[in-house]
Amino acid sequence: MAIIPATWDMYEMFQAIFQAPTYHLIFEALLILWIIKLIFSKSYAPGKTVLTEKEKEALIEDWHPEPLAPDVPDDHPVLQAMNNNIISGKAEKYVTVRGKRCINMATLNFLGMVGDESIEAVTIKCLRKYGVGSCGPRGFYGTMDVHLELEDRLAKFMHCEEAILYSYGFATIASAIPAYSKRGDVIFCDEGVCFAIQKGLVASRSLIKYFKHNNMEDLERLLLEQQAEDQRNPKKAKATRRFLVVEGLYNKHGDICPLPKLIELKWKYKLRIFVEESFSFGVLGASGRGITEHFGINVDEIDLIAASLENSIGSCGGFCCGKKYVIDHQRLSGLGYCFSASLPPMLATAAIEALNIMERDPGICQTLRNNCRMVHDGLSKLSYFHVGSDPLAPIQHLYLTEPSADRDLDTCTLQKIADEAIKNGVALTLSRYLEAEEHHLPLPSIRVAVNAKLSNEEITKVVATIAEASRTVLCTSSL
Amino acid sequence: MAPKGTLTNGNVHDNGRVNGFQNGRKGHTTSSRNGDRHKTEDGSGAYFESFEETPLHIAIWTYLGYGLLVVFGHIRDFLRDIGIEKIKSCTEPRLSGFVPLYQSWESFYTRNLYRRIRDCWNRPICSVAGAEMEILERTTSDHGWNFKLTDKKKKVMNFGSYNYLGFAENKGPCADAVEKNVHEWGLSSGASRQELGYQEIHKELDDLVAEFLGVEAAITVPMGFATNSMNMPCLVGKGCLILSDEINHASLVLGSRLSGATINTFKHNNMKDLEAKLREAVIGGQPRTHRPWKKILIVVEGVYSMEGSIIDLPEVIRLKKKYKAYLYLDEAHSMGAMGPNGRGVVDYFGLDPKDVDIMMGTFTKSFGASGGYIGGTKRLINHLRLHSHAAMYSLSMPPPVVQQIISSMSIIMGLDGTNEGKKRIQQLKWNLRYLRRRLNEMGFIIYGNKDSPVVPLLIYMPSKIAALSRECLARGVGIVVVGFPATPIIESRARFCLSAAHTKEMLDRAIEVLDEVGDLLRLKYSRKLLPKFSEDEVELVKIPTKRYVRPLVTIFPVPPTLSLLLSVN
């Protein structure tokens, strides 16, 4: 004990320990053990119930899931319409529905590419070289030279740096949006956009702000709100990308977006603008380049253009085009591009040949627009319908002038009119929607699709048949 | 409190693989607990899967390799930032006021690692993707930033395309039928099913697929990826639980996410984990509210193309029945390629297809076409015909593709009156056993099931990924290599997709090449005993074709005479 000086208090403490009675030491040791236990024991969780195995089995026994799918009666009107109006043979300008040869005003074959013999001939040549399927995604030997050629041709046609090809129209924009916009970003979107865009928005997990259809004041209101928000939190604003998603020509409404105003807002509020052109590509503009050509806007002002090859081009798939630095990103980030087999080469060739036709004869788009105007004018005169679409639109939505309060009833009435028209030689279809899931459900309508190859007589016949069919159905039902 | 491990919509990785896929299951031989298929360690039993443990020194070298690449990546990024190194890629222009479209760190991996070996992917071809293909030669003058096509072509053997039954053909009965079909039906229907795009040929296809699968009805979609992503949201929604295998394909992950249901993952092909998660879900109900789940959907794939593993379907079905969950089976890689009749994993295990609630698969792989299907009860399919996003918002299947499927499926089913289909099915089985056996013998680490049509060969080190791919290509073998993020970071691998179109001579040539390259690159890491399986167990169908008359009912089980004649032992 010589090391510790005798004057130090510690010494006395140790001495005290040695002198303390045994019961005291035991008591202290117990206290220390108790503290250790308190430290290491789990905190008390109130209300935590532990179930016995028997109770668990009972719970498992008790649980009954909902049925996987609701029961659908076989005579559901949509199923019936689908099964009754089954198509036999080619769906070109004329189509055979229920054995009746009709003028085809239903399928989206705007430029008459489906049924074109030169396209079919080229496609068969391609079939004899490549077979049907590509048997792999683009990364793993699914890239054929025809895919590269089609991408190149599309980029050149659209006057863009690069184009990327998808194997399905729906997947194109639905994959493109989430490739750029992530959680935390903001997307301003017209509420009239098609379902594919809506799904792309959901997949992006960004903040979605819908503005009223084609209403620029409403958009600007939202943009000002965002600006105020950004000023409050500039640090966050620096990392928040802002996108604007619109359609060139709206599938659900048949009207054209006010692109010049949108571009103005883009530069003013620093937005990246994505335009979906499935219904304007091959339709608007002198050579069919779509909404940018229609308004005479430089295509470079648009950050990304997406369009399906399933409408005007009459093939399958879709593409995105724009600047190289934008488009290239999708080659590793576009889910529908990376993880899906590429487009069957014969369908890619069909698209190339369709582009050839458009380039050889740009007048075809003008013819289409003339036909659209003629159909529009004719249908506008009908008393039972209100035509909602732009005169230039290849899809003309016919809404009932006096809709009832019951959506199903209106749908049923329109279906009857379409069926009646089919009986009289004009194939018509309703616009179908997933009513519960659409963000903004339009009124039920008959969607009349215009084909560039229709003659004036045929258009006159179509209008007359629709007039007659609506008279027959609506007069008998009102009686 | 939320049950441990529950993922809300956010935590699933963007690259299509799910986070947390770790090495926990490594070094095991999985086997089923089903009575008739006893546990085997050596491959002599019916169900054999092997995932050899990564040798420690290889793992260390691999991490060091990546470490070195990352260090150099940072140095070069720094040099690019200060302007010493020229940026050869096309970069985003700075627009004042705009938030940049990409973050620089997001593309670090692409810029510094992937770019160096970019030539191993996206190789353009200019022929049918059959047993052999012609690759267009590309050159790069700037180390993979940009490529230029030369005029040269190179004919190589194709071990990359999904052409299991060899139906990627430009001549023969399928191509002839397609040509005829184009004249009759055109190239496109031009509309969705519900909007007058439903042609008689679609009905024919739906019915044939249902018959092939042995289910009541089926619906077809023109894109396999979209079949998952556009139909899953119609099946489950808010208040439902999806139990998904952790390495499910991107389309299943996207479909699950779009459905709005809660997503929980279980360890790959681990039935104990699945049962634990199922039990917890049924007993505990939804997180926080503890209300019972509306539905529980188990989502699995038949054959996992990256692992070469086959789902333990009998056990999944037992669990699904016990806990009253629904089962979504994606047979993208197994339909056509598995089972004595080519009808997928259900056929392989000899199970009743009606026990699987949703039979999904694609036509890309075994049928030489494209698109996908969903089969199930009439009630389910009617619901999908009404509510599938594909039924009203997008094109119905292009007629030539429909014809290719009808023709190839009829051949597989033997409806053409020959045993061509059987021949192909047996040839594929023989081929895959043969290649797997030889690769095992040479000492490569091979993952997966002995009957899987995909054979993954482990490479591990990043530099060897490119080396193997380039060396094989130079010797006339086109293969697919995959690395991070499609696999766990150290488990880069090559993947061989077998085809019935490969002949024994081709396989022998490929094996010779792999032997040589394997020695060159020191890829023969395996230290395990040889598994006891071989191609001799597969009985090939000899060429003189005995006319086989279509049985009246082509639903499982197949006629006993046929299964005796052609079965795999």
Side-chain angles (χ1 to χ4, degrees):
Chain A
M1 288 295 162
I3 312 162
I4 301 169
T7 49
W8 197 38
D9 293 344
M10 209 54 170
Y11 175 75
E12 282 166 28
M13 237 173 76
F14 278 110
Q15 287 301 315
I17 290 172
F18 295 132
Q19 285 160 13
T22 328
Y23 74 88
H24 188 92
L25 283 178
I26 292 171
F27 180 70
E28 293 224 348
L30 282 175
L31 275 180
I32 289 167
L33 282 177
W34 189 50
I35 288 168
I36 291 170
K37 182 185 177 281
L38 277 181
I39 290 170
F40 285 102
S41 66
K42 284 197 185 108
S43 59
Y44 172 65
K48 197 173 173 183
T49 44
V50 179
L51 298 172
T52 62
E53 278 308 304
K54 210 174 151 192
E55 283 170 320
K56 284 183 184 170
E57 291 304 326
L59 275 173
I60 292 169
E61 197 59 41
D62 276 354
W63 182 63
H64 289 287
E66 284 180 8
L68 183 60
D71 204 8
V72 180
D74 266 342
D75 61 347
H76 188 283
V78 177
L79 277 184
Q80 266 197 328
M82 195 171 90
N83 289 329
N84 291 340
N85 295 338
I86 193 164
I87 309 288
S88 24
K90 259 186 232 181
E92 35 188 349
K93 188 170 85 172
Y94 280 86
V95 64
T96 312
V97 190
R98 300 192 212 183
K100 170 93 190 165
R101 197 166 155 76
C102 299
I103 303 177
N104 184 358
M105 300 302 281
T107 66
L108 309 170
N109 183 18
F110 305 142
L111 296 178
M113 298 295 182
V114 176
D116 187 292
E117 277 171 15
S118 66
I119 296 183
E120 281 168 14
V122 176
T123 312
I124 285 166
K125 244 173 98 184
C126 182
L127 164 75
R128 290 304 178 181
K129 187 174 178 199
Y130 299 95
V132 176
S134 61
C135 290
R138 289 291 292 267
F140 304 154
Y141 305 108
T143 304
M144 316 276 191
D145 47 359
V146 284
H147 295 129
L148 299 177
E149 187 186 343
L150 178 56
E151 283 178 349
D152 199 41
R153 287 292 303 278
L154 284 167
K156 287 212 178 93
F157 183 81
M158 293 297 289
H159 297 193
C160 289
E161 282 180 7
E162 191 163 338
I164 182 170
L165 186 63
Y166 280 81
S167 53
Y168 199 29
F170 190 96
T172 311
I173 188 73
S175 296
I177 294 174
Y180 304 98
S181 185
K182 308 283 179 195
R183 190 189 288 278
D185 296 335
V186 184
I187 304 179
F188 299 92
C189 185
D190 190 293
E191 65 179 11
V193 293
C194 65
F195 200 70
I197 296 183
Q198 294 173 35
K199 286 292 122 183
L201 297 177
V202 175
S204 75
R205 293 175 286 170
S206 311
L207 180 65
I208 315 296
K209 295 191 173 176
Y210 282 108
F211 58 91
K212 291 205 187 89
H213 178 55
N214 269 352
N215 185 333
M216 292 302 109
E217 284 84 51
D218 197 41
L219 171 60
E220 191 144 21
R221 178 183 63 80
L222 288 175
L223 291 169
L224 284 170
E225 266 175 29
Q226 180 67 33
Q227 204 175 39
E229 171 101 1
D230 288 349
Q231 275 159 4
R232 267 201 302 280
N233 195 348
K235 208 171 163 188
K236 191 178 160 208
K238 255 185 167 166
T240 309
R241 281 166 286 217
R242 288 170 286 267
F243 297 91
L244 176 59
V245 180
V246 291
E247 276 181 66
L249 199 155
Y250 287 88
N251 175 11
K252 269 157 66 172
H253 301 271
D255 50 5
I256 295 172
C257 74
L259 195 63
K261 180 73 187 166
L262 288 164
I263 298 284
E264 190 191 313
L265 291 174
K266 166 197 159 148
W267 292 113
K268 191 169 168 194
Y269 295 95
K270 316 292 180 200
L271 307 162
R272 312 254 175 193
I273 182 167
F274 291 0
V275 184
E276 216 286 342
E277 293 225 58
S278 289
F279 286 80
S280 48
F281 175 69
V283 174
L284 296 179
S287 51
R289 274 191 277 125
I291 190 82
T292 45
E293 196 181 24
H294 175 75
F295 282 112
I297 286 171
N298 187 348
V299 75
D300 290 344
E301 305 241 23
I302 316 280
D303 292 275
L304 182 131
I305 293 174
S308 141
L309 296 170
E310 291 158 10
N311 305 337
S312 299
I313 295 293
S315 176
C316 187
F319 71 95
C320 290
C321 63
K323 288 273 179 204
K324 188 170 162 52
Y325 79 91
V326 178
I327 300 301
D328 237 10
H329 181 64
Q330 286 181 51
R331 298 201 190 269
L332 286 172
S333 307
L335 284 184
Y337 178 86
C338 298
F339 293 98
S340 161
S342 54
L343 185 66
M346 61 188 291
L347 294 170
T349 319
I352 295 174
E353 187 57 25
L355 280 177
N356 285 341
I357 293 176
M358 282 169 72
E359 281 176 352
R360 267 202 308 270
D361 174 21
I364 191 171
C365 301
Q366 189 54 46
T367 320
L368 170 63
R369 286 194 298 273
N370 291 344
N371 281 355
C372 293
R373 203 181 291 274
M374 198 171 160
V375 171
H376 180 85
D377 291 346
L379 294 175
S380 300
K381 291 193 191 104
L382 301 184
S383 49
Y384 296 105
F385 294 115
H386 147 72
V387 183
S389 308
D390 192 275
L392 291 181
I395 40 166
Q396 298 286 333
H397 284 279
L398 292 180
Y399 305 101
L400 287 172
T401 337
E402 293 163 17
S404 65
D406 183 1
R407 189 182 170 91
D408 290 346
L409 182 71
D410 285 350
T411 312
C412 209
T413 313
L414 288 170
Q415 185 62 52
K416 275 186 199 152
I417 295 172
D419 287 346
E420 183 66 25
I422 289 171
K423 269 185 218 156
N424 294 311
V426 173
L428 291 181
T429 178
L430 268 65
S431 220
R432 306 276 184 200
Y433 305 103
L434 272 176
E435 298 181 0
E437 289 172 46
E438 279 280 357
H439 173 74
H440 180 74
L441 187 62
L443 288 170
S445 63
I446 290 180
R447 193 181 61 197
V448 181
V450 185
N451 187 325
K453 295 198 170 159
L454 290 172
S455 67
N456 291 357
E457 293 74 47
E458 282 162 333
I459 293 176
T460 319
K461 190 197 163 196
V462 166
V463 174
T465 311
I466 296 175
E468 182 59 37
S470 56
R471 207 170 306 128
T472 315
V473 170
L474 292 169
C475 289
T476 46
S477 67
S478 60
L479 279 176
Chain B
M1 217 173 82
K4 212 174 150 195
T6 299
L7 293 176
T8 51
N9 272 348
N11 298 347
V12 185
H13 220 262
D14 263 352
N15 54 39
R17 298 289 157 193
V18 179
N19 266 338
F21 175 39
Q22 282 306 324
N23 304 341
R25 54 154 183 75
K26 288 286 130 51
H28 293 300
T29 308
T30 9
S31 77
S32 166
R33 278 169 297 283
N34 201 324
D36 54 15
R37 288 169 301 111
H38 56 91
K39 190 180 165 86
T40 56
E41 295 288 344
D42 58 0
S44 58
Y47 186 84
F48 167 77
E49 265 177 25
S50 149
F51 298 97
E52 191 174 338
E53 205 169 345
T54 309
L56 185 65
H57 67 285
I58 300 293
I60 293 170
W61 280 115
T62 309
Y63 278 121
L64 276 177
Y66 277 106
L68 200 67
L69 282 166
V70 168
V71 169
F72 270 88
H74 279 298
I75 293 172
R76 297 187 64 175
D77 267 5
F78 174 72
L79 293 179
R80 279 177 207 126
D81 273 354
I82 59 172
I84 293 180
E85 189 177 330
K86 215 178 125 217
I87 299 169
K88 292 171 193 121
S89 71
C90 124
T91 46
E92 190 183 350
R94 297 228 181 282
L95 295 169
S96 78
F98 281 82
V99 178
L101 202 49
Y102 318 111
Q103 302 289 337
S104 165
W105 51 266
E106 279 175 2
S107 53
F108 178 84
Y109 183 83
T110 329
R111 193 167 54 236
N112 292 306
L113 280 76
Y114 169 72
R115 189 258 315 153
R116 290 166 180 269
I117 55 173
R118 242 180 88 189
D119 60 303
C120 301
W121 293 276
N122 298 305
R123 286 178 184 146
I125 69 171
C126 62
S127 71
V128 60
E132 290 184 310
M133 60 183 167
E134 281 178 43
I135 293 191
L136 291 172
E137 202 182 82
R138 293 184 296 180
T139 53
T140 172
S141 53
D142 48 10
H143 304 284
W145 289 108
N146 297 294
F147 287 104
K148 228 179 176 167
L149 285 177
T150 63
D151 290 335
K152 276 190 231 149
K153 294 171 191 170
K154 188 175 169 65
K155 194 164 188 171
V156 298
M157 281 184 281
N158 184 355
F159 284 91
S161 296
Y162 309 127
N163 176 26
Y164 297 130
L165 293 180
F167 280 107
E169 294 167 320
N170 52 13
K171 45 183 187 288
C174 295
D176 294 344
V178 173
E179 177 170 347
K180 197 164 150 261
N181 170 288
V182 170
H183 294 302
E184 199 178 332
W185 296 91
L187 287 170
S188 162
S189 61
S192 71
R193 273 169 178 257
Q194 290 188 9
E195 294 165 340
L196 286 197
Y198 186 45
Q199 294 173 300
E200 277 162 4
I201 193 166
H202 293 123
K203 187 173 157 45
E204 192 187 332
L205 176 66
D206 287 359
D207 293 347
L208 186 73
V209 170
E211 188 188 328
F212 182 67
L213 295 172
V215 293
E216 288 172 15
I219 184 172
T220 49
V221 180
M223 182 192 189
F225 185 95
T227 314
N228 282 330
S229 64
M230 291 167 90
N231 286 304
M232 283 180 83
C234 313
L235 301 170
V236 284
K238 227 174 153 46
C240 300
L241 175 71
I242 291 178
L243 277 173
S244 177
D245 191 294
E246 62 184 350
I247 57 166
N248 272 347
H249 189 254
S251 55
L252 293 166
V253 176
L254 180 66
S256 309
R257 200 193 278 166
L258 289 178
S259 73
T262 309
I263 305 164
N264 199 347
T265 58
F266 61 91
K267 286 199 192 104
H268 173 56
N269 216 353
N270 184 328
M271 292 304 123
K272 275 195 183 136
D273 194 37
L274 173 61
E275 177 154 23
K277 297 261 161 77
L278 264 175
R279 242 184 125 76
E280 192 180 283
V282 176
I283 294 166
Q286 301 186 30
R288 296 176 65 85
T289 60
H290 294 289
R291 281 186 159 186
W293 294 103
K294 286 183 186 160
K295 304 173 205 175
I296 297 178
L297 184 68
I298 303 171
V299 182
V300 292
E301 288 180 47
V303 167
Y304 287 86
S305 69
M306 287 293 168
E307 304 295 304
S309 53
I310 298 176
I311 188 74
D312 188 355
L313 195 62
E315 187 64 9
V316 176
I317 288 181
R318 189 186 70 81
L319 291 177
K320 155 216 133 80
K321 281 184 176 161
K322 183 173 170 195
Y323 294 98
K324 295 173 218 135
Y326 298 109
L327 176 58
Y328 190 108
L329 176 66
D330 178 341
E331 297 222 58
H333 285 272
S334 49
M335 186 47 65
M338 300 285 304
N341 308 292
R343 293 174 195 195
V345 276
V346 177
D347 189 21
Y348 175 73
F349 288 112
L351 299 165
D352 183 356
K354 297 203 167 63
D355 281 340
V356 180
D357 300 279
I358 304 125
M359 299 267 281
M360 182 272 163
T362 67
F363 300 123
T364 316
K365 279 98 184 177
S366 298
F367 302 91
S370 72
Y373 63 81
I374 284 190
T377 58
K378 196 152 173 274
R379 178 177 167 146
L380 170 78
I381 300 305
N382 267 350
H383 170 69
L384 288 179
R385 287 202 170 119
L386 281 180
H387 293 104
S388 164
H389 303 169
M392 65 193 76
Y393 292 115
S394 55
L395 192 71
S396 57
M397 187 137 0
V401 179
V402 173
Q403 186 58 53
Q404 168 75 17
I405 302 163
I406 291 179
S407 302
S408 54
M409 195 175 269
S410 305
I411 292 175
I412 298 171
M413 290 166 86
L415 299 182
D416 61 334
T418 68
N419 60 6
E420 176 67 23
K422 284 285 159 192
K423 215 178 94 191
R424 290 181 186 230
I425 289 168
Q426 291 308 93
Q427 186 66 51
L428 172 67
K429 284 188 205 316
W430 192 91
N431 284 357
L432 65 92
R433 284 275 183 95
Y434 184 70
L435 184 78
R436 190 175 270 275
R437 172 87 190 161
R438 294 292 98 78
L439 292 179
N440 266 321
E441 278 171 4
M442 287 190 280
F444 291 107
I445 294 188
I446 303 293
Y447 270 7
N449 195 296
K450 65 173 177 181
D451 287 325
S452 134
V454 216
V455 180
L457 180 154
L458 271 286
I459 306 174
Y460 298 112
M461 295 175 207
S463 50
K464 289 187 187 177
I465 300 176
L468 178 66
S469 178
R470 288 171 192 159
E471 292 299 328
C472 283
L473 189 72
R475 290 166 173 79
V477 181
I479 60 167
V480 163
V481 285
V482 267
F484 183 78
T487 65
I489 189 138
I490 64 161
E491 289 173 27
S492 309
R493 61 198 68 174
R495 209 174 63 171
F496 301 92
C497 292
L498 271 300
S499 166
H502 291 136
T503 59
K504 183 169 181 294
E505 292 71 46
M506 284 180 176
L507 293 178
D508 283 336
R509 256 194 296 153
I511 287 162
E512 220 171 275
V513 167
L514 283 168
D515 194 24
E516 190 189 331
V517 179
D519 283 331
L520 190 72
L521 303 178
R522 296 176 183 276
L523 280 172
K524 298 175 176 175
Y525 307 120
S526 181
R527 286 175 301 188
K528 256 177 68 168
L529 288 175
L530 269 184
K532 284 183 199 141
F533 64 82
S534 86
E535 65 283 0
D536 299 337
E537 295 157 27
V538 181
E539 200 175 314
L540 286 174
V541 179
K542 295 291 177 290
I543 295 169
T545 51
K546 193 167 147 254
R547 276 189 83 81
Y548 159 62
V549 185
R550 178 187 179 180
L552 287 174
V553 191
T554 45
I555 303 176
F556 302 126
V558 287
T561 44
L562 184 69
S563 52
L564 266 179
L565 197 71
L566 304 155
S567 67
V568 190
N569 287 337

